[in-house]
Amino acid sequence: MQHLKSHPAHGVVVPRSFRLLEELEEGQKGGGDGTVSWGLADDDDMMLTHWNGMIIGPAKTVYEGRIYSLKVDCGHRYPEYPPMVRFVNKINLTGVNSSTGAVDLKSVSALSRWKNSYNIKMVLQELRQHMMMKENSRLSQPPEGQVYSN
Amino acid sequence: MAEQGAADLGNNNNNKPEASEGTIIKVTVKTPKDKEEIAIAEDASVTQFKEEISKRFKAKQDQLVLIFAGKILKDGDSLSQHGIKDGLTVHLVIKTAHKAADGGSTSASSSTSNQGGNSTTSSPAANPAPTTVPTGSGHTPTQTPNIMSGFGDLASLAGLGMGSANFMELQQQMQRQLMSNPEMLSQIMENPLVQNMMSNPDLMRQMIMANPQMQQLMERNPEISHMLNNPELMRQTMELARNPAMMQEMMRNQDRALSNLESIPGGYNALRRMYTDIQEPMFSAAREQFGNNPFSALGGNSDSGAQPSRTENREPLPNPWGPPNSSNPSESGGGTTGSTSTSGATNPSVSNPLGVNPGSLGNGMFNSPGMQSLLQQISENPQLMQNMLSAPYMRSMMQSLAQNPELASQVMMNNPLFAGNPQLQEQFRSQLPIFLQQMQNPEALSVMTNPRAMQALMQIQQGLQTLQTEAPGLMPSLMTSGIPGVPTGGAVPAENPASSPSSAATNPAQQQLMQQMLQMFAGGGGSGGGNGTSQTPEVRFQTQLDQLNAMGFINREANLQALIATGGDINAAIERLLGSQPS
């Protein structure tokens, strides 16, 4: 279960499961400022792969008042490689595939160059920031409650 | 397996009422603004948890959305099902009616404050509002659908205004707020009172024409008067004003037409000419009043001749703050008079070309807590009162009201306070001319700016009220014996703080009080301004005396005489003093 990686330029690499356990704990303790939340999707998920995320739409944007559910999958190469992220609730946001809800992390500037120090919390927070960008300020949103069909 | 790494469960034996069975766990419930620890049974359901939360956070249960570890907790679930254990944190979002989640508001990203109101509309207005107005006000339109609470946020504005002790500034801020916040505008527009007023073309025309600046403009540009006299056009404009969506549409069309015009050879010059002839004077007239351009939101449309409808668009800019000034003399007596005043007509100040009376927007406006505090502050700050009273539009408003008792009575009539009592209305109507004259009397004005006088009036008011409740029989006799010199101008605002809480008071006692106040007023007015307060002229004119002293007029007696003769007007007093001295 412990995937020790050959370490890169700086110091010790924290193994995947340690990282994910830390993130799990932080998620349960309500890390962040209350505008994002994350947790393991399935308690029996031994590989800590499938996560739920939640983003609260920022005020003064077209996303205001909405609560967006996301699925975050941390593959076995996480955190060296970014997770797969997709929205469950329908959303009109640049970088989000309008038919599947899949998020292209490269279109979120803060996440386009993934570092292994990034984590799920950051992904959610940066997505939230992304919602506040001007380019997204006038996108009309689908009615609440709609979800992607996959 | 992962969960075991998380907090270990200690068995609490605290006896809590919620402990039906099972152990109690302490769960932290966190909103972006707030954090509370809630004790709940380990095996409780989400519904039970929400009950506790709703008590603690003072929100309705169905407004609560709970999130744990990235999942929304549904009412039918249990806490243990989600793995919620002692010491863990659950996120809370409180949904307001407009779905403005607290969870998203101001925390985390301070950059939200820069979004302003522009994201939702295409209003061309510049948006200084977020910087000048606390973000609390920015949330105004989203909080409730109620216009009144929208204006309730005036409290924060009032705070700002007080900071500068300048009523005009307050008004400007209000305007800016309004302009940058189109939702507020549309709320105002939707108010049936406004719409009623707007549907009366005669009234509108009258109001517009009564404004001296408009008159000037009209002289210079006969086209404008032509436009005003065209009922069709007026109606069209008012339709526009009533329907902000339509207005935007119109403006867009005009912009397009304008740009077309530009492309015609010589067209640009024509445009420019039109701008300078028509637009500028209007703009600068407005600017004079406010120091900023209230028409900027309408985006430089010129051209009054070619398409008369265009200029109209410059006008319908309702001034929500205009009302305290433009609606009612008793109001001017104190933008303070909430319960009297409002509705129906407004004065056409340039600030308020269509004379939309924000007062009409809601008598509630004045009853809102924000207004209340504003009123209090005004009465405490005589400087403010003076500023307000000396504001040019105020003068013009009072004048036009004086000239047009019909208008004034209409305004009065629409006040709900009188709505239920035709008798009172009659009374008021008859008193009106006297009332108006009194308002013109600078003496009365200076009394109103005297904080002690105001306080005394309020005390009297309160005393009267108590008496009324305690000994109703006693009242009439007290009244008739005449409580000395209470100028109604002051009495009416004094009336306000007491009566406005009971806003739509059709309380007969209240009305009686009003009548008596009126009588006293009439009596006070009859005897001339000298009965203002129980204070000596010397005390009243203290500030003026000091000023005169500073200027070098050391003869206190003479100063006092002059001040008394001119009713506190320093400039006139100086002239008198100079005239009497050997040159």
Side-chain angles (χ1 to χ4, degrees):
Chain A
M1 196 167 329
Q2 319 250 343
H3 299 263
L4 284 173
K5 309 269 193 300
S6 56
H7 67 84
H10 49 279
V12 175
V13 176
V14 180
R16 175 183 181 276
S17 47
F18 276 27
R19 263 291 297 271
L20 288 169
L21 279 175
E22 270 175 10
E23 297 196 46
L24 179 63
E25 192 165 345
E26 199 192 351
Q28 289 181 333
K29 297 217 172 108
D33 51 13
T35 53
V36 297
S37 173
W38 65 98
L40 207 51
D42 181 359
D43 289 344
D44 298 331
D45 180 4
M46 298 290 148
M47 296 299 294
L48 308 176
T49 306
H50 303 290
W51 295 72
N52 292 325
M54 187 91 41
I55 298 179
I56 295 170
K60 301 225 173 87
T61 65
V62 294
Y63 308 100
E64 177 168 13
R66 310 263 195 137
I67 299 179
Y68 292 100
S69 196
L70 295 94
K71 292 265 175 230
V72 180
D73 286 350
C74 299
H76 66 274
R77 285 192 283 188
Y78 178 87
E80 297 300 319
Y81 281 65
M84 312 259 285
V85 185
R86 67 175 181 86
F87 275 85
V88 172
N89 301 103
K90 282 204 177 167
I91 185 173
N92 191 358
L93 181 66
T94 56
V96 178
N97 182 315
S98 51
S99 31
T100 64
V103 177
D104 177 12
L105 288 180
K106 299 211 182 34
S107 55
V108 180
S109 53
L111 301 171
S112 54
R113 271 192 208 93
W114 179 263
K115 298 195 181 26
N116 62 6
S117 51
Y118 294 176
N119 56 15
I120 298 174
K121 166 166 103 174
M122 194 181 157
V123 168
L124 295 175
Q125 285 178 330
E126 290 302 332
L127 273 175
R128 188 169 184 273
Q129 288 292 112
H130 185 56
M131 289 183 196
M132 298 198 263
M133 296 285 180
K134 254 195 131 154
E135 70 206 77
N136 294 313
S137 61
R138 289 176 198 254
L139 301 174
S140 65
Q141 296 304 312
E144 267 192 75
Q146 284 188 2
V147 296
Y148 292 104
S149 46
N150 49 357
Chain B
M1 108 161 174
E3 263 66 36
Q4 282 156 11
D8 201 2
L9 187 61
N11 281 338
N12 293 345
N13 288 328
N14 295 343
N15 285 338
K16 281 270 179 175
E18 310 91 40
S20 42
E21 39 180 299
T23 46
I24 299 297
I25 55 175
K26 291 215 185 65
V27 180
T28 305
V29 178
K30 201 173 177 195
T31 67
K33 295 185 193 156
D34 217 353
K35 198 159 86 161
E36 296 267 352
E37 214 179 58
I38 300 212
I40 187 85
E42 189 185 20
D43 56 1
S45 68
V46 171
T47 312
Q48 287 169 322
F49 194 32
K50 281 192 178 178
E51 268 175 40
E52 284 307 307
I53 294 178
S54 106
K55 284 185 226 160
R56 194 76 74 83
F57 282 85
K58 315 256 190 311
K60 291 206 225 125
Q61 240 176 293
D62 49 12
Q63 287 177 309
L64 305 177
V65 178
L66 287 172
I67 296 172
F68 177 71
K71 278 189 275 213
I72 294 186
L73 306 181
K74 303 216 176 19
D75 288 354
D77 299 341
S78 75
L79 297 184
S80 53
Q81 184 180 334
H82 285 281
I84 297 175
K85 299 190 172 28
D86 186 61
L88 297 186
T89 299
V90 169
H91 292 296
L92 172 66
V93 175
I94 300 179
K95 283 185 171 271
T96 61
H98 267 231
K99 306 214 174 132
D102 280 352
S105 54
T106 47
S107 66
S109 27
S110 48
S111 55
T112 46
S113 58
N114 292 331
Q115 293 309 105
N118 286 341
S119 54
T120 46
T121 64
S122 55
S123 161
N127 194 355
T131 53
T132 53
V133 171
T135 46
S137 327
H139 286 184
T140 299
T142 62
Q143 262 152 16
T144 58
N146 189 349
I147 293 183
M148 307 322 157
S149 61
F151 284 122
D153 257 352
L154 280 177
S156 51
L157 269 183
L160 283 180
M162 291 317 132
S164 62
N166 184 348
F167 199 74
M168 299 266 279
E169 237 183 78
L170 188 61
Q171 189 177 19
Q172 285 174 31
Q173 281 164 353
M174 193 62 208
Q175 268 209 328
R176 259 181 261 142
Q177 166 74 340
L178 182 69
M179 285 201 306
S180 60
N181 201 337
E183 270 189 61
M184 206 181 196
L185 181 59
S186 56
Q187 274 175 349
I188 292 172
M189 286 303 181
E190 280 162 36
N191 186 308
L193 281 166
V194 172
Q195 292 189 350
N196 269 342
M197 186 192 56
M198 295 236 171
S199 53
N200 183 351
D202 281 331
L203 196 60
M204 302 293 278
R205 184 163 19 112
Q206 218 176 18
M207 293 190 301
I208 293 179
M209 304 230 280
N211 184 320
Q213 267 135 339
M214 272 310 277
Q215 284 170 358
Q216 266 184 9
L217 254 180
M218 290 205 296
E219 278 164 46
R220 273 188 276 157
N221 274 311
E223 290 154 341
I224 294 188
S225 61
H226 169 73
M227 174 185 74
L228 276 175
N229 287 328
N230 181 351
E232 191 49 54
L233 212 49
M234 286 297 287
R235 215 169 303 131
Q236 197 184 32
T237 309
M238 288 186 303
E239 265 308 312
L240 274 184
R242 215 191 310 213
N243 186 347
M246 216 158 97
M247 188 150 84
Q248 278 183 359
E249 206 35 64
M250 253 309 233
M251 291 204 291
R252 257 175 265 148
N253 288 342
Q254 287 172 5
D255 282 341
R256 253 181 287 133
L258 255 184
S259 49
N260 283 344
L261 256 182
E262 266 188 21
S263 56
I264 301 173
Y268 183 68
N269 288 337
L271 276 179
R272 188 147 35 108
R273 197 177 12 107
M274 286 187 295
Y275 172 79
T276 43
D277 280 347
I278 287 141
Q279 201 179 18
E280 274 209 41
M282 278 196 92
F283 276 34
S284 46
R287 219 176 287 125
E288 254 165 51
Q289 300 262 337
F290 302 117
N292 72 347
N293 187 351
F295 301 114
S296 63
L298 297 171
N301 285 325
S302 57
D303 182 6
S304 102
Q307 278 159 347
S309 57
R310 285 199 197 183
T311 42
E312 290 296 355
N313 280 336
R314 256 175 280 144
E315 294 167 273
L317 194 66
N319 179 357
W321 206 240
N325 310 321
S326 47
S327 59
N328 193 321
S330 58
E331 209 176 341
S332 72
T336 55
T337 315
S339 53
T340 51
S341 91
T342 67
S343 87
T346 320
N347 251 330
S349 34
V350 174
S351 64
N352 197 351
L354 273 187
V356 175
N357 185 354
S360 73
L361 293 186
N363 310 319
M365 172 179 169
F366 296 105
N367 295 330
S368 76
M371 198 63 193
Q372 290 290 328
S373 67
L374 182 62
L375 297 182
Q376 271 175 4
Q377 281 167 329
I378 286 185
S379 51
E380 279 154 29
N381 185 349
Q383 189 55 32
L384 195 72
M385 276 281 267
Q386 257 185 350
N387 284 344
M388 191 172 75
L389 292 175
S390 59
Y393 43 80
M394 189 74 96
R395 285 273 151 78
S396 68
M397 182 245 329
M398 286 200 279
Q399 272 167 11
S400 16
L401 271 170
Q403 288 157 13
N404 192 351
E406 170 76 18
L407 201 65
S409 60
Q410 255 189 12
V411 171
M412 295 281 195
M413 287 334 120
N414 291 333
N415 186 322
L417 184 61
F418 302 135
N421 186 353
Q423 193 192 26
L424 192 57
Q425 286 180 7
E426 275 312 307
Q427 272 243 332
F428 231 73
R429 226 185 292 227
S430 53
Q431 302 291 0
L432 211 46
I434 307 173
F435 193 49
L436 290 170
Q437 272 171 17
Q438 188 72 346
M439 294 318 296
Q440 301 273 1
N441 183 351
E443 172 69 29
L445 293 182
S446 63
V447 165
M448 284 190 285
T449 63
N450 185 337
R452 288 176 292 262
M454 294 296 288
Q455 272 174 14
L457 283 172
M458 290 215 258
Q459 279 172 2
I460 293 178
Q461 179 70 8
Q462 283 163 11
L464 287 174
Q465 280 234 306
T466 335
L467 266 179
Q468 269 183 347
T469 49
E470 298 293 321
L474 195 56
M475 277 302 287
S477 55
L478 268 185
M479 282 309 198
T480 51
S481 67
I483 297 183
V486 178
T488 320
V492 173
E495 161 88 354
N496 187 40
S499 59
S500 49
S502 49
S503 49
T506 38
N507 178 358
Q510 288 279 7
Q511 287 159 355
Q512 209 182 21
L513 197 65
M514 285 295 294
Q515 290 175 3
Q516 281 146 355
M517 287 294 183
L518 279 176
Q519 281 164 8
M520 281 188 294
F521 181 33
S527 61
N531 58 349
T533 56
S534 49
Q535 290 162 336
T536 65
E538 204 175 20
V539 177
R540 278 202 335 257
F541 296 134
Q542 191 53 47
T543 19
Q544 288 93 327
L545 277 172
D546 289 343
Q547 278 173 322
L548 286 174
N549 267 340
M551 282 190 247
F553 294 100
I554 47 180
N555 186 345
R556 200 173 164 76
E557 266 312 285
N559 291 353
L560 201 54
Q561 296 281 346
L563 280 171
I564 294 177
T566 62
D569 182 348
I570 292 198
N571 289 332
I574 292 179
E575 298 213 1
R576 272 188 113 84
L577 289 168
L578 288 175
S580 66
Q581 282 171 10
S583 52

